[in-house]
Amino acid sequence: MNNSVDVVVIGAGQAGLSAAYHLRRAGYEPGTSFVALDHAPAPGGAWQFRWPSLTYGKVHGMYDLPGMRLTSDDADPERPSSEVVPAYFARYERAFDLRVVRPVHVDAVRDGDDGRLLVGTSAGTWAARALINATGTWDRPFWPRYPGQETFRGRQLHTAQYPGPEAFAGRRVIVVGGGASGVQHLLEIAEVAAATTWVTRRPPVFRERPFGEVQGRAAVALVEQRVRRGLPPQSVVSVTGLPLTEPMLRAREKGILDRLPMFERITPDGVTWADGRHVEADTILWATGFRAAIDHLAPLRLRERGGGIAVEGTRAVRDPRVHLVGYGPSASTVGANRAGRAAVREIRALLDAGPRPAPPDGRWSPEKVPARR
Ligand SMILES: Cc1cc2nc3c(=O)[nH]c(=O)nc-3n(C[C@H](O)[C@H](O)[C@H](O)COP(=O)(O)OP(=O)(O)OC[C@H]3O[C@@H](n4cnc5c(N)ncnc54)[C@H](O)[C@@H]3O)c2cc1C
C-alpha cells in the first residue's frame, strides 16, 4: 500500500463511490494515485445500518450509481434496503475495481509541511494532495436536549438505533420529529403499540402533489445558499415537505398523524407541556435527524462563524484541496452522484496545474487556487 497518493476519498457511500468511479475514469489508479477509506465493516455506506422494515419498496427516489444500474433482479421491493443496496454497492466496487480500504476510521486531517494533507487513520497516515470528504451524516445522530431527560425511566433511542416496529409492541411510544423517518417510524409503530404520540417542533408540511423537478431544484437551491454562507446544512428533505402517501392518508384518518408541539420537559414517566398536559410513555423515539459527520476535518479550521463549512459547488472555500460531497445540497443520491463528478473535475484541474508552494502561514486560501492550464 502506497501511503502517499494524489487523492484520499473518505467514505464509500453513494458520494464516495461516485467520486472513486470518476477518479478511476480520469486515470487515477486505486491504491497508488488514490485511495478510498471507509470505517464500516462492509460495502453499502449507511444503507447497511438501516432498519429491516425499510424495504427497498419503501425507499423512494434512490438513484443508481454512475456507470452501473441496479438491476430489477437485485431490486426486490420486499427485501430490506439494508440488503439490496449493500449488495449492489459491493458489486459496483468489484466491477470498477475501486479497492476500498476498510475498516479504516479517519480521526483527523491536518496540514502537512509540504502543502500536502495528512489523513490520520486507525491504519496509519496517508499523505494526499487533495481530499474528497464523503462521510455522510449517519455517524452523527442529532439528539436534542430537554430538561428532565436523564430522569426518564423508560427507553430512549434514536432513528440510528431503530430496530423495526416489533420492539414497540404493547408500548406507549412518543415519536419526536417531523421528517420522513419520523413519519415512517410512527406509521409502523402505531400498528403494534398500545399508544403513540407524535411531537414535532414545527407543524409538518404535507405535500399533496408529486414533487416536480422545479420544486426539487428550488429546494436544493435553498440548501445551497446556506452552505455558501457557511451555515450548517439542512437536509434537502427538510425543505421539500412530506409526500402524502396512501398509508399516510389512512393514518391521518385514524388520527395517528395528529401532531402535538414540542413538550417542555421530560419526567420519569413521560413528557409534560407548559399548559400542564402530561402524556405517559414507555419509550421516546428521537427521529430528530443527523448532522454532517465532519469532526475529523476540525484541524483544518474550515468552519465559518455560522458553524458550517462554506462550500462553492463541492470545494471548501477556505481550502481548495478539500471537497465535500454528499454535503448540504448534494445530500441525496442524485446529488451525491453529481457531486462526485464535479469534485473530480475540479481536483483534476488543481492537480494538473502542478505542485505549488504552500502559502507562508501554511494555510490555503481561495486566492491560492491555481489557474487552469
Ligand atoms: C432513512 C434514510 C432514507 C433515505 N432515503 C433516501 C432516498 O430514498 N433517496 C435519496 O436520494 N436519499 C435518501 N436518503 C439520503 C441518502 O441516504 C443520502 O443522501 C446518500 O445515500 C448518502 O450517501 P453518502 O455517501 O453521502 O453517505 P453514507 O451512505 O452515509 O456514506 C458515508 C460513508 O462514510 C463512512 N464514514 C463516515 N465517517 C467516517 C470516518 N471518520 N472515517 C472513515 N469512514 C467514515 C461511513 O462508514 C459510510 O460508509 C435517505 C437517508 C436516510 C437516513
Side-chain angles (χ1 to χ4, degrees):
M1 174 70 62
N2 178 3
N3 277 22
S4 178
V5 289
D6 283 329
V7 189
V8 167
V9 180
I10 311 177
Q14 184 107 9
L17 289 184
S18 166
Y21 166 85
H22 288 289
L23 282 167
R24 197 107 175 71
R25 281 191 50 151
Y28 293 86
E29 275 293 313
T32 51
S33 53
F34 85 90
V35 66
L37 310 171
D38 195 296
H39 67 191
W47 291 102
Q48 66 196 283
F49 304 113
R50 295 211 169 121
W51 51 96
S53 52
L54 183 65
T55 55
Y56 188 69
K58 287 189 192 167
V59 171
H60 29 237
M62 157 126 197
Y63 276 71
D64 291 343
L65 285 161
M68 194 177 103
R69 295 192 70 81
L70 173 67
T71 61
S72 48
D73 287 349
D74 300 325
D76 177 351
E78 300 301 321
R79 275 179 70 205
S81 55
S82 58
E83 292 174 13
V84 171
V85 181
Y88 166 53
F89 281 17
R91 198 157 59 78
Y92 188 86
E93 288 180 21
R94 281 195 304 274
F96 295 106
D97 189 23
L98 300 177
R99 293 182 232 166
V100 177
V101 186
R102 59 166 69 85
V104 175
H105 176 69
V106 175
D107 306 304
V109 183
R110 299 195 155 76
D111 258 319
D113 296 333
D114 57 355
R116 282 172 194 260
L117 293 157
L118 298 178
V119 182
T121 81
S122 54
T125 300
W126 269 265
R129 296 169 69 201
L131 178 80
I132 299 182
N133 191 80
T135 44
T137 58
W138 187 257
D139 292 277
R140 257 198 87 201
F142 173 65
W143 294 70
R145 294 281 158 231
Y146 280 87
Q149 199 158 4
E150 64 296 339
T151 67
F152 185 61
R153 282 196 297 261
R155 182 178 182 207
Q156 295 186 62
L157 71 169
H158 188 274
T159 291
Q161 300 148 326
Y162 179 66
E166 299 78 15
F168 302 85
R171 313 248 157 207
R172 297 161 302 171
V173 184
I174 295 174
V175 177
V176 185
S181 301
V183 172
Q184 279 190 18
H185 299 334
L186 184 66
L187 264 56
E188 290 184 357
I189 292 170
E191 300 277 320
V192 295
T196 58
T197 306
W198 189 29
V199 179
T200 72
R201 208 150 41 99
R202 283 187 294 270
V205 178
F206 293 105
R207 185 160 37 84
E208 310 263 349
R209 290 158 193 269
F211 205 67
E213 205 173 307
V214 175
Q215 294 109 312
R217 284 223 188 96
V220 169
L222 274 178
V223 183
E224 208 158 30
Q225 279 164 21
R226 281 181 67 87
V227 299
R228 228 185 239 142
R229 286 159 51 209
L231 296 170
Q234 288 165 299
S235 74
V236 175
V237 176
S238 73
V239 287
T240 59
L242 294 160
L244 257 183
T245 58
E246 273 300 317
M248 278 166 75
L249 287 168
R250 285 197 297 274
R252 192 157 73 168
E253 267 165 32
K254 289 188 203 158
I256 294 165
L257 291 180
D258 292 349
R259 155 270 178 192
L260 291 173
M262 277 315 296
F263 41 77
E264 194 183 59
R265 63 181 299 113
I266 301 175
T267 64
D269 64 349
V271 298
T272 304
W273 282 259
D275 63 3
R277 179 181 190 143
H278 183 72
V279 169
E280 291 190 353
D282 308 300
T283 309
I284 302 174
L285 173 57
W286 297 92
T288 40
F290 297 82
R291 299 287 182 265
I294 49 174
D295 289 352
H296 52 283
L297 301 180
L300 297 176
R301 293 177 311 194
L302 303 175
R303 277 190 200 265
E304 305 294 332
R305 275 167 188 267
I309 297 179
V311 172
E312 273 295 333
T314 58
R315 173 174 36 83
V317 169
R318 286 179 181 264
D319 190 332
R321 297 168 300 173
V322 178
H323 284 250
L324 286 92
V325 297
Y327 179 78
S330 65
S332 66
T333 51
V334 63
N337 281 357
R338 291 180 187 149
R341 187 180 58 210
V344 170
R345 198 185 303 126
E346 279 204 33
I347 284 178
R348 216 177 146 192
L350 182 82
L351 300 187
D352 284 355
R356 290 157 307 285
D361 62 356
R363 307 253 324 126
W364 290 86
S365 66
E367 298 77 56
K368 307 289 175 195
V369 182
R372 280 172 187 238
R373 276 200 294 202

